[in-house]
Amino acid sequence: MDINRQQKAPIYEALEEFKKRRVVPFDVPGHKRGRGNPELVQLLGQKCVELDVNSMKPLDNLCHPVSVIREAEELTADAFGAENAFLMVGGTTSAVQAMILSTCKAGDKIILPRNVHKSALNALVLCGAVPVYVNPEMNAKLGISLGMEIDQVARAIEDNPDAKAVLVNNPTYYGICSDLRAIVKLAHSRGIKVLTDEAHGTHLYFGENLPVCGMAAGADMSAISMHKSGGSLTQSSILLTGKAVKADHVRQIINLTQTTSASYLLLSSLDISRRNLALRGRESFARVAKMAEYARNEINSIGGYYAYGRDLVNGTSIYDYDVTKLSVYTLDIGLAGIEVYDLLRDEYDIQIEFGDICNILAYISIGDRIQDIERLVGALQDIKRLYSRDRTGLLSGEYINPEVAVSPQKAFYAEKKSLSIKDSVGCISGEFVMCYPPGIPILAPGERITKEIAEYILYAKEKGCSMQGTEDPAVEYLQVLA
């Protein structure tokens, strides 16, 4: 990485120069630097709306960058150790889908764990690729799925030598990492590309003593949520590619679905955040890891909670662990994770990332302070004292192995009928059902609805999980294949 070059922020600098020129706008957006919408100015501030501009020659164009955006992407590739980088304004959803759509076409096989984000399965609906699931082991106590074991990946490749790609979560939402280097070596030996969903792994590129990042492990493509742990604005992300990937083809694929009216607020936030991480990321993420470890120790000292970390590592299904993730098991105090999540928000004004059936996740990043950690720990201590109860009757488990009956694309576009959740048992789902966050489907199009899955959906609803994916807003009925 060229530190001297990394001090530049070409998109941000071009915007600042543009602002000085006081250009009269006869283009979009129609608010005309905020003059047409004073309430928007009041909400966002004058500087923000003045920088909400359209693509023009001095500011380049994200669909076909030739100047400042091109330079920003080159700086991003350099900072992340990639051959090429693409700035994404459709979130990491767009980046994950671009990875899959540029690697797989209709009928192609892709090897992936079933606990992927819905964006990956949506990509299969769009392109018609066929999933070959490596069903990871479960941690029976924590109720979470673990990493992809190298032996499982080897068997999947042996059974499907014509597969085009292997997709790996690095890390999972809960911080668990697979042996990425070994998976890359194995897949490449068979001519198969490796794609990494690093929505929760931006910091792996800049931290010390953290799990290996996708590009360093030799992955072909990596989708990065810069807005999660990297500090950019929500919805801004990055797609990285290695030497064996044809970048021009990837750009064409991205342009199939990405907006032609890219937000310069998002683009400049990526530019500034990349510069910040390149110059200060190592020290910033060392502080993040230290805060997370401190919080983990403090929460475990309360009793009843289990804030897990590197103690889980077993060298196979949990090859490594991202210590910046503060995942906490709550069932031993008699409360589901989603119940603790709700209490923290409603009673203590603390918003954490998510709660599922067994766990909560507090996202620690470069913007956190030690006093915030202390407040979280104090609230958890209070919740245990005031609300803990017997855990009898609480379900355990975040993931149920599915039976894939037909491809996601075929099921999504098939003729369907609507049935109540209880009556849908035995049928094939034509839609997604998931708790969001984290957005990992309980049920995906093409999967058979079992009694266990139906009961889990109803239980998650009852506990207060935010359910998404169904045509029915109330999630009382499911669309199944007719």
Side-chain angles (χ1 to χ4, degrees):
M1 180 168 61
D2 185 341
I3 289 295
N4 290 328
R5 274 194 78 206
Q6 288 296 330
Q7 297 188 51
K8 295 192 67 179
I11 299 173
Y12 168 71
E13 290 159 11
L15 281 170
E16 287 288 282
E17 187 61 33
F18 171 78
K19 201 177 98 172
K20 292 175 189 173
R21 296 181 61 185
R22 299 169 64 104
V23 173
V24 178
F26 284 103
D27 62 349
V28 296
H31 61 68
K32 302 298 174 99
R33 316 293 189 263
R35 291 195 303 269
N37 195 340
E39 289 178 340
L40 188 64
V41 178
Q42 189 176 8
L43 174 67
L44 300 178
Q46 187 62 46
K47 185 167 186 179
C48 184
V49 293
E50 282 181 356
L51 297 181
D52 181 36
V53 295
N54 192 30
S55 296
M56 58 188 76
K57 281 190 176 180
L59 298 179
D60 209 354
N61 189 300
L62 185 60
C63 294
H64 190 84
V66 295
S67 58
V68 294
I69 294 177
R70 171 71 75 175
E71 186 181 1
E73 290 186 333
E74 289 169 356
L75 287 167
T76 301
D78 177 52
F80 282 80
E83 187 71 12
N84 290 282
F86 303 87
L87 304 185
M88 309 292 294
V89 295
T92 310
T93 288
S94 289
V96 168
Q97 292 176 351
M99 287 198 304
I100 295 173
L101 294 175
S102 61
T103 309
C104 300
K105 59 183 186 299
D108 286 345
K109 295 176 184 175
I110 178 170
I111 297 167
L112 69 169
R114 174 55 179 73
N115 61 319
V116 289
H117 188 262
K118 66 174 183 176
S119 58
L121 298 181
N122 282 341
L124 305 187
V125 170
L126 291 172
C127 72
V130 178
V132 175
Y133 290 129
V134 172
N135 286 319
E137 280 186 19
M138 289 283 297
N139 181 300
K141 174 179 178 176
L142 304 179
I144 62 174
S145 49
L146 307 180
M148 297 168 77
E149 294 189 44
I150 190 66
D151 289 347
Q152 294 175 318
V153 178
R155 279 197 298 273
I157 290 175
E158 197 66 38
D159 294 341
N160 303 274
D162 54 341
K164 299 296 182 185
V166 177
L167 179 90
V168 186
N169 294 320
N170 190 53
T172 69
Y173 223 136
Y174 301 90
I176 290 164
C177 296
S178 305
D179 187 352
L180 188 55
R181 282 194 174 98
I183 291 172
V184 168
K185 184 178 179 182
L186 172 63
H188 283 178
S189 72
R190 301 296 187 92
I192 297 171
K193 285 189 163 48
V194 176
L195 318 177
T196 52
D197 180 348
E198 296 186 303
H200 301 279
T202 306
H203 49 286
L204 302 185
Y205 286 82
F206 301 96
E208 291 180 337
N209 302 316
L210 292 177
V212 68
C213 61
M215 289 293 105
D220 297 284
M221 305 178 79
S222 292
I224 309 287
S225 281
M226 194 69 158
H227 66 95
K228 289 190 170 75
S229 59
S232 65
L233 290 178
T234 295
Q235 200 177 306
S236 58
S237 297
I238 295 165
L239 176 59
L240 305 174
T241 62
K243 290 182 179 178
V245 176
K246 189 179 175 185
D248 292 340
H249 174 65
V250 174
R251 177 88 65 193
Q252 295 280 64
I253 295 295
I254 290 170
N255 285 342
L256 289 176
T257 56
Q258 185 159 258
T259 178
T260 56
S261 303
S263 165
Y264 278 86
L265 298 174
L266 298 182
L267 292 174
S268 58
S269 82
L270 284 170
D271 201 20
I272 293 167
S273 300
R274 179 270 313 154
R275 180 174 66 180
N276 180 46
L277 294 186
L279 301 180
R280 293 174 285 276
R282 196 164 295 278
E283 63 191 64
S284 295
F285 289 123
R287 188 171 57 84
V288 168
K290 188 175 179 181
M291 277 195 295
E293 287 285 31
Y294 171 75
R296 193 172 284 113
N297 291 333
E298 290 294 299
I299 291 167
N300 284 333
S301 71
I302 295 171
Y305 297 106
Y306 174 33
Y308 40 97
R310 281 212 168 108
D311 53 298
L312 291 179
V313 172
N314 59 20
T316 54
S317 58
I318 309 172
Y319 184 78
D320 206 348
Y321 189 84
D322 173 12
V323 294
T324 72
K325 298 288 184 292
L326 184 58
S327 301
V328 184
Y329 175 76
T330 66
L331 288 193
D332 284 344
I333 66 165
L335 296 173
I338 187 62
E339 292 174 310
V340 175
Y341 169 98
D342 286 339
L343 285 168
L344 284 168
R345 183 194 62 243
D346 297 341
E347 302 298 328
Y348 298 90
D349 292 327
I350 295 174
Q351 181 62 57
I352 59 171
E353 176 67 9
F354 79 89
D356 64 17
I357 299 302
C358 304
N359 308 273
I360 58 171
L361 172 67
Y363 216 94
I364 314 296
S365 76
I366 57 177
D368 284 301
R369 305 168 301 172
I370 197 67
Q371 55 262 48
D372 300 323
I373 300 290
E374 299 283 11
R375 185 171 166 186
L376 173 64
V377 172
L380 289 174
Q381 195 164 23
D382 216 31
I383 286 171
K384 182 196 172 189
R385 181 174 60 85
L386 295 173
Y387 298 99
S388 63
R389 57 177 182 252
D390 186 85
R391 62 170 289 175
T392 304
L394 291 177
L395 276 184
S396 174
E398 170 265 338
Y399 167 76
I400 301 166
N401 284 341
E403 178 198 335
V404 180
V406 299
S407 76
Q409 186 184 64
K410 183 177 177 182
F412 188 84
Y413 290 109
E415 288 293 319
K416 304 182 190 74
K417 61 184 178 181
S418 180
L419 293 177
S420 70
I421 292 173
K422 286 182 179 177
D423 291 338
S424 70
V425 172
C427 298
I428 299 169
S429 178
E431 60 186 354
F432 290 98
V433 185
M434 71 200 82
C435 300
Y436 190 87
I440 299 166
I442 301 167
L443 195 59
E447 295 174 358
R448 194 171 301 282
I449 304 165
T450 63
K451 184 171 183 285
E452 186 183 17
I453 288 171
E455 288 175 349
Y456 186 91
I457 293 169
L458 292 169
Y459 181 81
K461 273 187 63 183
E462 177 195 330
K463 286 296 179 186
C465 290
S466 175
M467 309 297 289
Q468 292 188 9
T470 56
E471 188 175 298
D472 173 24
V475 198
E476 293 174 350
Y477 293 85
L478 299 180
Q479 293 289 313
V480 302
L481 270 59

